[in-house]
Amino acid sequence: MKSIIIICFVFLFIISCKSIEINPTDIIGKWQPSLYIPYNSKDDTWGKAFPIDSLSKKYIIDFTNDNKFLINGKPGGSCCSAGDKYSISGNEINFSELTGRGCAYVFCKTCTTWNIDKVGNETLILEECGKYKIQYVKTK
């Protein structure tokens, strides 16, 4: 009897471990940052979220229908190294067409893969470069 119960719990545990299902069209649109969540490398946890309202009006990211990535209306690869184009595989956004030119934005990206933690109608949480998470809200 104990074996059956243990097998049932193991089975329930396995089916409860779901990967994030991302519909690539869910991230399409313009997004403003609203919260910054730092990574604490000392204890391997995510820190407290901080509002970033003063910067949000100046920094808009845009994922277009034709797989272009824009920052403030300009190609994303011309500002930092995120890339001008993107593709989605699972919960990862992979950037391509890197230009390597820098920019003055505080949110300058230095990596070509971001993870999607959450995406909904109005909220997008991206883990960018494994160093921080940004919660974005959809703009019109």
Side-chain angles (χ1 to χ4, degrees), residues 90-118:
N91 69 330
E92 287 186 348
I93 303 171
N94 298 296
F95 294 97
S96 61
E97 296 190 20
L98 309 174
T99 59
R101 288 176 269 165
C103 69
Y105 295 115
V106 71
F107 290 104
C108 191
K109 310 301 184 268
T110 58
C111 59
T112 59
T113 303
W114 300 352
N115 292 322
I116 302 170
D117 279 5
K118 178 183 175 184

Side-chain angles (χ1 to χ4, degrees), residues 114-127:
W114 300 352
N115 292 322
I116 302 170
D117 279 5
K118 178 183 175 184
V119 63
N121 291 337
E122 301 298 321
T123 304
L124 173 66
I125 300 177
L126 298 175
E127 181 182 327

Side-chain angles (χ1 to χ4, degrees), residues 48-133:
K48 178 184 172 187
F50 296 97
I52 50 177
D53 293 332
S54 64
L55 298 173
S56 66
K57 292 182 174 85
K58 298 177 183 177
Y59 185 82
I60 305 287
I61 63 171
D62 187 2
F63 295 96
T64 67
N65 283 322
D66 56 353
N67 290 19
K68 290 182 182 175
F69 176 68
L70 306 172
I71 298 174
N72 291 338
K74 298 177 183 172
S78 64
C79 179
C80 313
S81 59
D84 292 346
K85 295 212 175 232
Y86 73 95
S87 62
I88 296 178
S89 177
N91 69 330
E92 287 186 348
I93 303 171
N94 298 296
F95 294 97
S96 61
E97 296 190 20
L98 309 174
T99 59
R101 288 176 269 165
C103 69
Y105 295 115
V106 71
F107 290 104
C108 191
K109 310 301 184 268
T110 58
C111 59
T112 59
T113 303
W114 300 352
N115 292 322
I116 302 170
D117 279 5
K118 178 183 175 184
V119 63
N121 291 337
E122 301 298 321
T123 304
L124 173 66
I125 300 177
L126 298 175
E127 181 182 327
E128 301 173 5
C129 309
K131 297 176 183 170
Y132 48 83
K133 294 182 185 183

